[in-house]
Amino acid sequence: MTATTHTWKVASTADAAQARAVLDLLLARGGAPALERARFLTSLTARLRACLDRGGDWELQLTVHRTTSGQDGRIDILLRPTGISATGPDDAPTLTCALPSDPAEDGLPADPPLPEALLRADETTAVVLGLLDEQESLLRLHREELHKTNQGVLALHADLEAAALAQRELLEAERIARDEAERARRLLTFLGDASAAVTTSLSPTAVLRRLGELLVPEYAEHVDVWIFDEGDEEPDTGHPRRTRGHSAAAVAAARTGRPQHAAPHPGGLPGTDDLPPSALSPHRPLLAIPLVARRMLGVLSLTAPGPRFDADTCVMLVELARRVAVALDNARRYEQYRDTAEALQRAQLTELPTTSGLLLAARYLPATQGLNIGGDWYDAFHLPDGSLITVIGDVTGHGMHAAVVMGQLRTALRAYAVEDSSPAEILTKLHRMLGHLQPELYATAMIARFQPGEPDVVWASAGHPPAVVRTAHGAVHVLDAKPGVMLGLPVPFTYDNHTTTLPAGSSLVLYTDGLVERRARGIDPGIAHLSQVMAAFDTTDLDHDLDAAADALLERLLHDSERDDDVCVLLCHTPAPSGPPVRPGGPTLPWERSAWRTPSRGSVEAIRREGVRSENL
């Protein structure tokens, strides 16, 4: 690359303009782009003005660089004061402009006239302005594109915001639905658990007590149950007669058969009538729900645990009240059935006879768990020859049917015994009769026959728990001879007689399995316990108060038992010779009964409490 240097003196504005015009032509000849030429000339003009402003004479040094091929080049411009070979530290650096071709191939251009230079400057300006127009057009286009982009971004943002809002609404709706489903699940679970809790009991009192425990405090602040008695209802309408002391809502529910809601503001509860606030609960809503099964049983009144009753909770409470009504109706019917069966059972129990040389005491206790009554019985009666038959028995099954079958067996047994049959013969005939008349029912029984003045007792058993014998000295043994089959089993069977001895002061205990059998331990431990209790008695106490001994026997054996079966006990005691006087051949005289047969206070209380039928002989 070669370089050629040219110098111009710049002392005035005209010199500066002339130098600028020459350089403009040089740049145009070298093919410099209009924009680059305009930039270069603008920078040169600014420096020339700065030099003129500083005053003095200046030199403009032009250096033209050429390549050997002559295809491109470069010009450098340096401004400095005249007489100084280098620029000072404050001077601007050299101006440089690259050129596509050699600008000084034909030498430097002659100094153009200033008007021509001005016109060329306008041409350059026009080119620059054209470029500016293009840039403005592009800028306008870009602005439009940017505006459209911004509009799209705003629209996208709006869509995203709408989508986010919709998603939040969906999530909130899902949360609400999930909460409602969870609440419905909890209400259904509570309804199922509460229904199971109130329907497992057959006691109306237990049902109502359990109902209050379930509802308070989560679903009600206070629970009141108005139960109608038989005499409380009008015969024509079935509505309650006495309404004093109950809320107006409860009375309205009883009369209309519809749930009533009493509150300062309407509740809008499904299937419920709205009433003014109750005087019994002026600040809390009151919900009165009729208890209807086969008939109107009563009204359940609930005070709200909060400011209002929830609609779903109201529906659940109405359904729970319906189930409680069914449970109460079942419990009442059970009690009526139980009372009827027990009355029938007691009506068929025997008034114990009086006999010489023998004391009798009997106890009957109905079951306290379930409908397990009606199958156990005892009997004692004289035969024409003066002997005494004592019987203990138990019919399988419970309730009215068992009580009826027991009455049939008792009547048949007495009829067979009158024929002067032995205990074994009586049981054999009963076995055939029961298998013929009641093929699906069975029974156990034990018969003992006492002869006046004889210590030997003849007995026979049909699958019954073994009797227990206590001697006058306190020794106890079980009559464990192999018993016969149960009465009524579909197999032919002939029973055998057995004999045991009861000397004076001895006792024979006949009983049913309810006295000794427990689900947790079976029957054998119970028989052993019975033997221990009998051994602990004093013979003198048995001689003087057999009723008290019977009460003590039951107390010791049943104090920790739920008694889920009937209990029958028949105590047979042969008093010692020094025992209380007995009128031979006839009933005990009143003065004799008051002297030694009056039951103890505890015995009387036990009789009143349990309704036990007994007589001391």
Side-chain angles (χ1 to χ4, degrees):
M1 180 177 287
T2 61
T4 304
T5 303
H6 305 274
T7 303
W8 285 275
K9 290 185 178 181
V10 179
S12 62
T13 303
D15 295 338
Q18 194 68 40
R20 181 186 183 283
V22 173
L23 289 174
D24 185 14
L25 287 174
L26 188 63
L27 292 174
R29 188 182 295 175
L35 184 59
E36 294 297 327
R37 188 165 71 247
R39 288 175 179 172
F40 181 83
L41 292 175
T42 300
S43 299
L44 176 61
T45 301
R47 292 192 180 188
L48 289 173
R49 287 178 179 176
C51 292
L52 293 176
D53 291 339
R54 293 173 64 179
D57 296 335
W58 293 80
E59 290 182 354
L60 186 150
Q61 180 178 327
L62 168 64
T63 304
V64 179
H65 300 275
R66 302 182 183 90
T67 60
T68 55
S69 61
Q71 295 299 320
D72 56 0
R74 185 181 82 243
I75 61 173
D76 296 333
I77 299 296
L78 179 62
L79 281 170
R80 62 188 177 186
T82 302
I84 299 176
S85 60
T87 60
D90 296 334
D91 293 325
T94 303
L95 287 175
T96 302
C97 182
L99 301 174
S101 61
D102 184 4
E105 182 178 359
D106 298 330
L108 293 176
D111 294 340
L114 290 178
E116 183 182 350
L118 289 174
L119 292 176
R120 291 186 60 81
D122 290 339
E123 293 177 359
T124 303
T125 302
V127 173
V128 172
L129 290 176
L131 293 176
L132 289 176
D133 291 340
E134 293 179 2
Q135 294 299 320
E136 286 182 355
S137 177
L138 291 175
L139 181 59
R140 189 165 46 253
L141 179 61
H142 290 321
R143 284 177 178 173
E144 292 177 357
E145 293 292 334
L146 180 60
H147 178 70
K148 293 180 180 180
T149 302
N150 290 338
Q151 292 296 324
V153 170
L154 291 177
L156 178 61
H157 180 74
D159 293 342
L160 292 176
E161 183 67 23
L165 179 60
Q167 185 178 16
R168 286 195 296 269
E169 292 176 351
L170 289 176
L171 291 176
E172 181 66 17
E174 181 183 0
R175 184 190 63 80
I176 294 174
R178 188 165 53 247
D179 292 343
E180 291 178 352
E182 176 63 20
R183 177 173 175 78
R185 186 195 64 80
R186 288 192 292 107
L187 290 176
L188 290 175
T189 300
F190 173 79
L191 179 61
D193 294 342
S195 301
V198 298
T199 55
T200 53
S201 176
L202 291 176
S203 169
T205 303
V207 170
L208 297 178
R209 181 177 63 251
R210 186 65 180 133
L211 178 63
E213 295 172 352
L214 291 169
L215 293 177
V216 178
E218 183 174 0
Y219 296 100
E221 181 185 41
H222 177 72
V223 175
D224 179 72
V225 183
W226 177 17
I227 298 297
F228 305 154
D229 296 330
E230 294 294 338
D232 288 346
E233 298 177 356
E234 298 176 358
D236 296 333
T237 64
H239 295 157
R241 290 174 176 170
R242 298 192 295 271
T243 60
R244 184 175 302 173
H246 300 284
S247 65
V251 175
R255 294 189 180 278
T256 64
R258 287 177 53 83
Q260 305 293 320
H261 176 258
H265 304 286
L269 301 177
T272 304
D273 300 333
D274 287 313
L275 296 176
S278 172
L280 299 180
S281 180
H283 304 296
R284 290 287 183 94
L286 183 69
L287 185 62
I289 307 173
L291 300 174
V292 182
R294 295 176 301 160
R295 60 183 182 87
M296 180 78 70
L297 301 179
V299 177
L300 172 65
S301 297
L302 307 169
T303 304
R308 59 185 296 274
F309 279 105
D310 179 75
D312 293 337
T313 302
C314 176
V315 173
M316 183 274 293
L317 292 174
V318 171
E319 175 60 22
L320 178 60
R322 185 190 67 80
R323 300 185 184 188
V324 169
V326 173
L328 287 174
D329 186 59
N330 290 338
R332 281 190 167 186
R333 295 176 64 185
Y334 159 77
E335 285 190 339
Q336 294 172 356
Y337 186 86
R338 175 189 173 88
D339 292 343
T340 303
E342 184 177 348
L344 178 62
Q345 173 81 348
R346 291 189 181 280
Q348 298 186 91
L349 294 178
T350 305
E351 292 288 344
L352 297 179
T354 302
T355 188
S356 176
L358 185 66
L359 301 178
L360 298 177
R363 292 290 185 272
Y364 168 72
L365 299 180
T368 58
Q369 300 290 326
L371 195 60
N372 296 335
I373 57 175
D376 295 15
W377 93 96
Y378 64 85
D379 199 1
F381 54 92
H382 285 109
L383 295 179
D385 62 356
S387 62
L388 179 72
I389 292 290
T390 58
V391 184
I392 196 82
D394 186 1
V395 177
T396 59
H398 303 282
M400 295 285 292
H401 188 52
V404 171
V405 173
M406 179 270 290
Q408 295 174 348
L409 285 177
R410 174 179 174 273
T411 302
L413 189 149
R414 287 196 170 207
Y416 293 145
V418 170
E419 298 176 358
D420 197 21
S421 300
S422 68
E425 292 173 342
I426 296 173
L427 290 178
T428 302
K429 295 176 181 179
L430 283 177
H431 178 62
R432 290 197 296 266
M433 182 211 75
L434 187 61
H436 175 69
L437 296 180
Q438 299 288 344
E440 295 182 357
L441 278 182
Y442 313 107
T444 66
M446 185 172 183
I447 303 175
R449 183 170 183 172
F450 296 84
Q451 292 288 349
E454 296 182 6
D456 292 337
V457 177
V458 180
W459 62 274
S461 175
H464 199 77
V468 174
V469 175
R470 180 191 181 278
T471 66
H473 304 291
V476 177
H477 65 275
V478 178
L479 301 183
D480 54 358
K482 183 178 181 180
V485 301
M486 294 178 64
L487 298 175
L489 285 179
V491 293
F493 192 83
T494 301
Y495 296 89
D496 297 326
N497 287 316
H498 305 276
T499 302
T500 188
T501 301
L502 287 183
S506 300
S507 301
L508 176 67
V509 185
L510 306 178
Y511 57 92
T512 57
D513 57 354
L515 181 68
V516 295
E517 188 173 20
R518 304 291 179 269
R519 293 181 180 179
R521 61 183 184 180
I523 194 171
D524 291 337
I527 296 176
H529 189 199
L530 171 62
S531 301
Q532 295 173 0
V533 173
M534 288 301 300
F537 281 119
D538 186 84
T539 302
T540 303
D541 295 335
L542 295 172
D543 289 342
H544 287 81
D545 199 342
L546 195 61
D547 276 311
D551 293 335
L553 177 66
L554 295 179
E555 174 65 24
R556 296 176 188 178
L557 289 174
L558 302 177
H559 70 280
D560 59 347
S561 171
E562 295 183 354
R563 216 164 75 231
D564 53 2
D565 196 3
D566 287 6
V567 175
C568 261
V569 178
L570 180 58
L571 287 180
C572 309
H573 180 70
T574 56
S578 59
V582 178
R583 185 177 181 84
T588 305
L589 295 178
W591 65 268
E592 293 172 335
R593 182 179 299 276
S594 63
W596 58 274
R597 285 182 172 81
T598 301
S600 64
R601 180 177 180 85
S603 175
V604 173
E605 293 299 327
I607 294 172
R608 290 175 179 172
R609 182 174 64 253
E610 301 289 353
V612 178
R613 183 183 301 274
S614 64
E615 184 169 346
N616 194 356
L617 300 178

